[in-house]
Amino acid sequence: MTTKKIVLLDGNSLAYRAFFALPLLTNDSGIHTNAVYGFTMMLQNILKEEQPTHLLVAWDAGKTTFRHSTFSEYKGGRQKTPPELSEQFPYLRKLLTAYNIPQYELENFEADDIIGTLSRTASAESAETVVISGDKDLTQLATESTTVCITRKGITDMEMYTPEHIEEKYGIEPLQIIDMKGLMGDASDNIPGVPGVGEKTALKLLKEYGSVEKVYESLDAISGKKLKENLTNNEEQAFMSKQLATIEVNAPLTIGLQDLSYSGPNEEQLTALFKELKFTTLLEKMGVEAEAPEPVEEIEVVTKHKVTNADLSDQMAVHLEMMDDNYLTSDLFGIAMTNGETVFYVPMSDVKEDEELKTWLANPEKQKLTTDAKALYAALAAIDIPVSGIDFDLTLAAYIVNPSLSFDDVSEAAESIGWNGIQKDASVYGKGAKKAVPAEDIIAQHAGTKAVAVWNLQETVSEKLKQNEQYELYHNLELPLAKILGKMESTGVKTDLDILQKIGTELSGRLEFLESTIYEIAGQSFNINSPKQLGVILFEKIGLTPIKKTKTGYSTAADVLEKLAPEHEIIEHILLYRQLGKLKSTYIDGLSKEIHEDGKVHTRFQQALTQTGRLSSINPNLQNIPIRLEEGRKIRAAFVPSEPDWIMFAADYSQIELRVLAHISQDEKLIEAFRAGADIHTKTAMDVFGVAKEDVTSNMRRAAKAVNFGIVYGISDYGLSQSLDIPRKEAAEFIETYLKSFPGVKQYMDDIIQDAKQRGFVSTMMNRRRYLPDITSSNFNLRGFAERTAMNTPIQGTAADIIKKAMIDMDHRLEKEDLQARMLLQVHDELIFEAPPEELEQLKKIVPEVMESALELNVPLKVDSAYGASWYDTK
DNA sequence: AAGTTCACG
DNA sequence: ACGTACGTGAACTTG
């Protein structure tokens, strides 16, 4: 016989919590689902953690309760429930029905009172009870057998209030929580309390006297003139407040514990509801395969082992099918093609032999429409099949329409434009250990549906792009860039394994020594890489004072450790261990594994990923190779030219983001500074600190630099205070002075936020868009984040536009001048090339020239260049 | 799979 | 009162 375990949930409170904790998710029928989703997550968590035998969700019944007859303004002044939440309540009810979880509400009473009454009944039977709410008032219900869990941050993090915990935290008993509320009131419920009495005073009084009644009995003994006066003048209010805060434990319920038994959900109803709400992750967790969308029409895909000229039209959708997402290393299955009439599939072994098909692929006059142009260029280049004339890229087009929709699968890109005809790769090939190559006809069918989707979507998407004035951006910037990036990826960067290994051996030695030093100081061995274990050593064993906390415990991040360094000798060793460990694992071991047989690394540039229009780099990431510290910078010596005696050549934009800001904001002083060729951080320091150029100290320049960074990121006093390690107030003053000095910037910041609110998105100079739905959120955090994004994205995004344009111009120029130099990498504001030494003088002239004239701004763009025998030497 | 940390612009 | 600087990717630990 199992013992009873009763769980009582405060429905309204948890729904609110879920709603505000999560962004406003909308499913495709336009219903908001964030509260239902969050609530479901909480519920699943509770069911798993608590394993209840009995369960109830209590709801607030209506607007007025018996408390309103005591105090008509009870819960007054509250903002009304947002409609986006209200519309979700019916779904919450449905959810609970599907779970077979009893729900209850009672006229004139609040959920609290239902929970209070049931918890007392349960206590009488000494059944173990857990109360869950977001409202701290309920902690008054804690007893030996009743634990009250209050949601903390997010949706699954709870603080458990037992009588012991309350004693520890407040130094009072659970029932005294009522007295505490009586004295201090509760702004959210509009309970007045006693003016001038907050938590501290309330607790002090209660520890001394025990209750509101006792406080008033002992009024004469209370010290503090003002306090005594406030108490005296508000006696009635204090007692009323206490009454309001008291949860009714004898509500006239029409149900009892016997009605609460829980024995699991109705799987069928639950799956149906999750499907309706499009909770695909939850469905997958339940083991229900996400429903493969029905193909719009059954298409016939013919497998051909040889194509004829009759099969090849002037314009065709071409899709290269493979199982892995890394097209540079994956086995290639074959190519599916369609001209809107027939669909055929050619296995790769046949493609390689098919001269007619290869000629067609290489012919720029034959238009190819595809799902991923760069993959087609690069993957086929790797097996010596040149491709030319790609005129449409579905993924790229969908990304330009809305970069926030992330697609790791063509089916998702197609779905974003309303095409549900493609099965997920994961459901065709399986995932994880179950992934396997299916029969050829299945591959052919799958590849065929993708080609068909591309063919059918081309017009719709192009139309959409034209409507948004984004067709230029897509067709004349991103699409040509895809070809260039493909070329860069297949070229690759020669990587000297010997150099990596030499650095690696040295690092291993130092790491071993550091490890033993750390263990010796700590007096024990432990995993230094585990923040959890390290936290125990530093903050419990050694007894250092924690500065910051994370969700899971003490923070041991570098900025925290740096502050602790003077306190204990172990810290500097840990910092060095971390620094060197990072180099070893990510940049020596990780990078070495990525070197292909040709002695090169072939990164892939993600072109349809970032929210701002930047590229990203994976397998390996060559956009974050160390440079700031000399030890790490040495890694760059391993990146060398792929031809004997060639050189590496690098060119980077100087202050491109601040120049873009100067242009966009039209701030006269900023523009003037750049036109005059001034050192922008020094100039900022002169203005912010009001001193002459000669009097700018290095510290002032450092602060000004941080302010400039902050401006670009979308400034906040908190952020700046963190970066400069100064009080927030001082940071706020810096910002104010800055914005007074550069009024055009201030104007821009204000305008762009207004603009984002009005249009729902911000855009770059080349009309790249980023939608910011949170900009109108009532949630302070979400809104703040969206506002900073609104300020930053046009700047970062325009800089991305500019370098992309420069890459296209550069590619043309190298060809026109018939140079052997090859573009290898892009690192956001710099381009890296390899070239024969005889082209050096020409590159020194051409590269900066092309980059500087990529886009005309009302300030000059400035490019610095350097060269050397390795990437390390381009300084 | 999520959280933490740290490398870059 | 809230609690963040903007944009990424990789390695590692832990649940």
Side-chain angles (χ1 to χ4, degrees):
Chain A
M1 174 63 200
T2 49
T3 46
K4 272 186 193 164
K5 170 82 177 260
I6 301 164
V7 173
L8 306 168
L9 305 177
D10 181 343
N12 295 75
S13 160
L14 295 180
Y16 261 86
R17 187 75 208 183
F19 180 76
F20 286 110
L22 296 176
L24 254 190
L25 313 164
T26 315
N27 75 1
D28 50 14
S29 18
I31 315 164
H32 295 98
T33 55
N34 60 333
V36 188
Y37 186 79
F39 199 99
T40 311
M41 300 299 288
M42 289 178 184
L43 207 52
Q44 291 195 338
N45 200 43
I46 291 161
L47 291 172
K48 193 173 120 210
E49 298 285 317
E50 307 293 345
Q51 306 270 339
T53 59
H54 291 68
L55 191 57
L56 178 90
V57 174
W59 298 104
D60 294 339
K63 273 204 193 118
T64 56
T65 66
F66 70 91
R67 288 187 180 82
H68 289 88
S69 48
T70 309
F71 181 49
S72 58
E73 283 111 86
Y74 177 66
K75 290 201 171 175
R78 268 205 180 178
Q79 291 213 322
K80 62 171 190 282
T81 310
E84 295 86 356
L85 175 57
S86 302
E87 72 189 31
Q88 297 187 54
F89 279 107
Y91 288 95
L92 286 169
R93 301 280 186 154
K94 271 198 196 174
L95 175 79
L96 295 169
T97 310
Y99 263 106
N100 285 326
I101 294 173
Q103 321 179 42
Y104 189 68
E105 62 190 303
L106 184 61
E107 207 174 318
N108 270 328
F109 290 87
E110 294 180 56
D112 297 11
D113 305 310
I114 300 171
I115 292 173
T117 305
L118 285 167
S119 77
R120 286 294 180 265
T121 320
S123 279
E125 292 187 18
S126 22
E128 194 190 343
T129 306
V130 176
V131 170
I132 301 175
S133 174
D135 184 350
K136 281 195 179 143
D137 278 8
L138 277 87
T139 52
Q140 62 182 268
L141 296 173
T143 66
E144 281 314 312
S145 60
T146 307
T147 305
V148 182
C149 298
I150 302 299
T151 54
R152 230 182 328 217
K153 269 191 287 200
I155 49 174
T156 47
D157 190 12
M158 306 260 187
E159 188 169 5
M160 321 261 269
Y161 288 84
T162 56
E164 293 75 37
H165 181 63
I166 294 170
E167 169 65 39
E168 216 176 276
K169 186 164 174 173
Y170 298 116
I172 56 175
E173 288 171 19
L175 283 174
Q176 289 177 297
I177 295 277
I178 309 173
D179 296 279
M180 183 169 122
K181 290 276 152 156
L183 291 171
M184 66 183 272
D186 183 340
S188 70
D189 286 344
N190 207 27
I191 297 179
V194 177
V197 177
E199 185 176 306
K200 291 251 162 67
T201 316
L203 287 173
K204 202 185 87 198
L205 290 170
L206 289 175
K207 273 178 217 164
E208 202 167 341
Y209 304 103
S211 69
V212 174
E213 289 78 3
K214 292 272 169 54
V215 166
Y216 278 94
E217 278 169 28
S218 330
L219 211 48
D220 293 340
I222 286 168
S223 56
K225 197 176 158 209
K226 192 79 197 158
L227 175 60
K228 199 185 285 182
E229 195 182 305
N230 278 331
L231 285 167
T232 316
N233 293 341
N234 296 283
E235 182 167 352
E236 203 180 320
Q237 198 166 297
F239 280 96
M240 180 194 76
S241 297
K242 177 172 174 178
Q243 198 188 336
L244 287 172
T246 307
I247 291 174
E248 177 59 61
V249 293
N250 289 304
L253 305 189
T254 55
I255 54 163
L257 292 184
Q258 71 283 354
D259 302 309
L260 271 50
S261 68
Y262 173 74
S263 53
N266 178 332
E267 302 273 353
E268 208 174 298
Q269 266 186 46
L270 201 56
T271 358
L273 181 66
F274 285 175
K275 277 181 187 166
E276 183 186 347
L277 295 169
K278 294 281 174 344
F279 288 174
T280 39
T281 15
L282 289 175
L283 282 167
E284 270 171 39
K285 255 195 207 160
M286 291 174 65
V288 181
E289 279 291 316
E291 233 178 325
E294 285 296 309
V296 176
E297 49 184 316
E298 193 60 32
I299 56 159
E300 198 195 326
V301 181
V302 185
T303 297
K304 284 184 194 280
H305 296 288
K306 177 76 192 77
V307 300
T308 64
N309 267 332
D311 298 320
L312 299 166
S313 322
D314 288 346
Q315 189 186 43
M316 295 190 84
V318 179
H319 173 73
L320 173 62
E321 183 66 21
M322 67 193 86
M323 196 160 79
D324 253 18
D325 58 0
N326 187 342
Y327 48 79
L328 295 176
T329 53
S330 174
D331 274 339
L332 307 177
F333 290 144
I335 293 179
M337 298 176 66
T338 182
N339 58 2
E341 285 161 26
T342 59
V343 189
F344 62 87
Y345 173 82
V346 189
M348 216 52 216
S349 52
D350 297 312
V351 173
K352 287 179 189 165
E353 308 296 320
D354 197 322
E355 293 307 321
E356 244 153 332
L357 179 53
K358 286 204 274 189
T359 308
W360 186 89
L361 285 169
N363 185 348
E365 305 290 311
K366 307 290 177 187
Q367 278 191 2
K368 288 105 195 154
L369 322 176
T370 191
T371 55
D372 183 347
K374 181 158 61 67
L376 193 58
Y377 284 125
L380 292 188
I383 49 174
D384 288 322
I385 301 179
V387 178
S388 209
I390 299 181
D391 195 53
F392 179 73
D393 180 328
L394 178 60
T395 311
L396 219 36
Y399 167 71
I400 295 303
V401 169
N402 187 351
S404 75
L405 311 167
S406 68
F407 344 98
D408 43 29
D409 189 311
V410 191
S411 70
E412 289 167 23
E415 269 171 43
S416 79
I417 337 168
W419 181 272
N420 294 323
I422 308 177
Q423 272 197 295
K424 289 246 183 315
D425 284 342
S427 65
V428 175
Y429 298 121
K431 53 180 169 181
K434 283 186 286 182
K435 198 165 172 178
V437 180
E440 190 175 87
D441 60 327
I442 297 195
I443 298 174
Q445 183 69 30
H446 188 48
T449 58
K450 291 181 186 174
V452 169
V454 170
W455 182 265
N456 283 286
L457 288 171
Q458 188 218 177
E459 218 173 280
T460 327
V461 191
S462 301
E463 205 38 57
K464 177 82 191 164
L465 288 166
K466 283 173 190 158
Q467 257 175 37
N468 290 354
E469 297 188 312
Q470 292 184 296
Y471 191 76
E472 282 275 299
L473 168 70
Y474 153 75
H475 193 262
N476 301 345
L477 193 81
E478 297 293 352
L479 203 53
L481 182 68
K483 185 167 191 180
I484 296 166
L485 291 172
K487 197 154 69 177
M488 292 162 65
E489 293 173 359
S490 15
T491 305
V493 184
K494 178 80 187 276
T495 308
D496 188 329
L497 188 58
D498 286 343
I499 294 182
L500 288 181
Q501 276 169 347
K502 234 169 98 189
I503 304 175
T505 314
E506 192 208 319
L507 286 174
S508 299
R510 295 176 66 189
L511 281 165
E512 223 167 282
F513 180 69
L514 275 170
E515 189 183 85
S516 55
T517 310
I518 292 168
Y519 293 161
E520 203 170 306
I521 300 175
Q524 69 175 89
S525 68
F526 63 101
N527 187 343
I528 308 170
N529 282 325
S530 160
K532 194 177 166 188
Q533 293 180 35
L534 179 61
V536 172
I537 299 285
L538 295 183
F539 306 115
E540 288 172 21
K541 185 159 180 189
I542 296 180
L544 294 168
T545 321
I547 294 180
K548 226 168 38 179
K549 277 197 288 190
T550 67
K551 270 184 216 168
T552 51
Y554 313 110
S555 169
T556 65
D559 62 325
V560 172
L561 295 188
E562 269 155 29
K563 291 199 179 90
L564 292 170
E567 308 292 320
H568 201 277
E569 54 162 342
I570 198 171
I571 302 290
E572 53 171 323
H573 296 107
I574 290 168
L575 282 166
L576 186 57
Y577 180 89
R578 281 246 180 98
Q579 188 202 324
L580 302 184
K582 178 87 177 180
L583 294 178
K584 180 75 169 62
S585 67
T586 305
Y587 298 103
I588 301 294
D589 300 342
L591 209 49
S592 300
K593 279 184 224 147
E594 297 283 353
I595 301 177
H596 292 213
E597 271 177 9
D598 59 4
K600 293 173 165 186
V601 288
H602 296 264
T603 187
R604 272 145 50 237
F605 291 103
Q606 305 256 65
Q607 201 186 347
L609 183 138
T610 71
Q611 301 302 298
T612 54
R614 276 188 174 183
L615 302 173
S616 90
S617 158
I618 55 168
N619 299 125
N621 180 354
L622 293 182
Q623 290 182 322
N624 72 345
I625 303 300
I627 189 167
R628 290 172 193 167
L629 301 172
E630 179 55 28
E631 270 159 326
R633 190 174 197 159
K634 293 223 158 66
I635 305 275
R636 294 184 169 223
F639 297 98
V640 295
S642 65
E643 310 281 348
D645 301 321
W646 279 30
I647 48 152
M648 301 295 275
F649 185 90
D652 70 296
Y653 284 108
S654 156
Q655 308 291 356
I656 189 169
E657 292 188 336
L658 284 172
R659 288 171 200 264
V660 168
L661 173 64
H663 177 89
I664 298 184
S665 69
Q666 299 285 335
D667 184 278
E668 282 172 33
K669 267 166 84 182
L670 209 47
I671 291 174
E672 184 44 41
F674 279 120
R675 285 189 182 158
D679 173 321
I680 194 64
H681 301 316
T682 304
K683 178 72 173 71
T684 307
M686 287 160 62
D687 285 326
V688 171
F689 296 102
V691 295
K693 190 170 161 193
E694 304 73 45
D695 299 328
V696 174
T697 63
S698 64
N699 243 338
M700 286 155 93
R701 188 177 180 281
R702 191 181 62 93
K705 190 172 171 180
V707 172
N708 279 329
F709 268 98
I711 292 294
V712 168
Y713 291 156
I715 197 104
S716 80
D717 50 5
Y718 183 86
L720 183 64
S721 76
Q722 287 297 302
S723 111
L724 282 175
D725 201 14
I726 55 170
R728 204 163 95 179
K729 248 185 106 183
E730 260 173 61
E733 282 164 23
F734 272 156
I735 295 168
E736 206 188 308
T737 332
Y738 177 95
L739 293 174
K740 276 208 187 105
S741 306
F742 298 94
V745 175
K746 168 97 172 82
Q747 189 68 43
Y748 161 73
M749 300 290 172
D750 294 344
D751 290 351
I752 195 76
I753 291 173
Q754 276 317 308
D755 200 47
K757 281 199 174 127
Q758 206 158 60
R759 298 200 297 172
F761 64 88
V762 290
S763 50
T764 67
M765 279 179 71
M766 298 198 188
N767 280 350
R768 190 185 301 282
R769 287 188 181 187
R770 181 175 189 177
Y771 290 88
L772 299 169
D774 289 339
I775 197 101
T776 54
S777 169
S778 54
N779 180 313
F780 176 92
N781 269 324
L782 292 178
R783 193 178 61 248
F785 191 74
E787 287 173 354
R788 292 194 297 277
T789 312
M791 299 186 255
N792 170 264
T793 297
I795 301 172
Q796 193 183 115
T798 298
D801 294 347
I802 292 173
I803 193 164
K804 283 177 167 178
K805 171 73 166 33
M807 291 169 77
I808 295 171
D809 295 347
M810 201 62 233
D811 186 69
H812 289 160
R813 189 70 179 268
L814 288 178
E815 190 152 333
K816 192 180 128 205
E817 312 249 343
D818 202 22
L819 293 170
Q820 291 171 266
R822 303 171 188 138
M823 202 174 351
L824 299 178
L825 296 173
Q826 186 250 49
V827 191
H828 311 306
D829 64 355
E830 68 176 319
L831 295 176
I832 292 124
F833 304 81
E834 61 179 9
E838 61 269 23
E839 291 178 3
L840 176 61
E841 288 310 312
Q842 220 173 333
L843 287 182
K844 275 186 182 168
K845 183 173 156 285
I846 293 178
V847 176
E849 182 185 306
V850 169
M851 288 173 75
E852 283 171 1
S853 53
L855 187 70
E856 182 116 358
L857 301 185
N858 56 21
V859 292
L861 286 171
K862 184 167 169 269
V863 171
D864 300 314
S865 68
Y867 65 94
S870 74
W871 193 3
Y872 176 84
D873 301 297
T874 60
K875 56 175 184 182

